[in-house]
Amino acid sequence: EGRIELDAMMELAELYIERGDRVAATAQLAGLEPFLTGPRFTLFRRAQLSYYRGCLARLDGKQDEARAQFAQAVEGFGSTEAKIVMNVLALIGLAEADLALGENVEAKASIERALSLAGSFVEPGSPSYLVGRCLVARGDAELLEGDVEAARISFRSGSEQLGLTLG
């Protein structure tokens, strides 16, 4: 099944990225090139590819490129009516790239969008690893702005969410 093949190739690239294996991740993503013009490489798949390219660029320390790729992913995921978990991750990636580039206002806006979307996946008051990741990103932004107390609260809340959901 071609659809599964594309997903598997991208997810394998993500595993390489998480391990820090730039060479394997780059090769894996390059292996998708022949499929880019095919009918199965939908707008959603393009958004996924942009997300993984953003992750790879961030791993390489190329924050401008990471920012551009995450922005493309957010735009692609946003063009569908469905709520997509990966959009939360792309928004967090976009915020992290913005923070690295000193664009705190843009980063905070992306974090708040991510937090709102992440919260929409769970019942109010329910723990969520996505909410936890957003709160940690918010803490990073607050810390960079020098608001240590707000950062402490965000980190603590994020840690609680992550602890409840991921252990």
Side-chain angles (χ1 to χ4, degrees), residues 16-67:
Y16 290 138
I17 291 166
E18 288 176 6
R19 285 189 1 201
D21 189 342
R22 295 174 176 89
V23 174
T26 301
Q28 190 65 34
L29 291 177
L32 292 163
E33 293 295 325
F35 301 102
L36 293 178
T37 58
R40 289 180 298 197
F41 221 85
T42 62
L43 183 59
F44 176 75
R45 296 270 183 285
R46 290 185 187 287
Q48 283 180 296
L49 180 58
S50 292
Y51 171 76
Y52 294 123
R53 285 177 172 166
C55 291
L56 182 59
R58 185 176 53 199
L59 180 66
D60 288 337
K62 299 175 182 174
Q63 300 302 331
D64 285 327
E65 184 179 332
R67 190 203 185 291

Side-chain angles (χ1 to χ4, degrees), residues 108 132 134-159:
K108 286 182 82 172
C134 293
L135 291 169
V136 169
R138 180 195 275 169
D140 288 335
E142 292 164 340
L143 193 59
L144 281 174
E145 289 181 332
D147 192 344
V148 177
E149 187 54 35
R152 182 176 288 121
I153 292 167
S154 293
F155 287 140
R156 185 174 294 123
S157 297
S159 176

Side-chain angles (χ1 to χ4, degrees), residues 126-137:
S126 298
S128 163
Y129 81 96
L130 287 173
V131 170
R133 295 236 3 232
C134 293
L135 291 169
V136 169

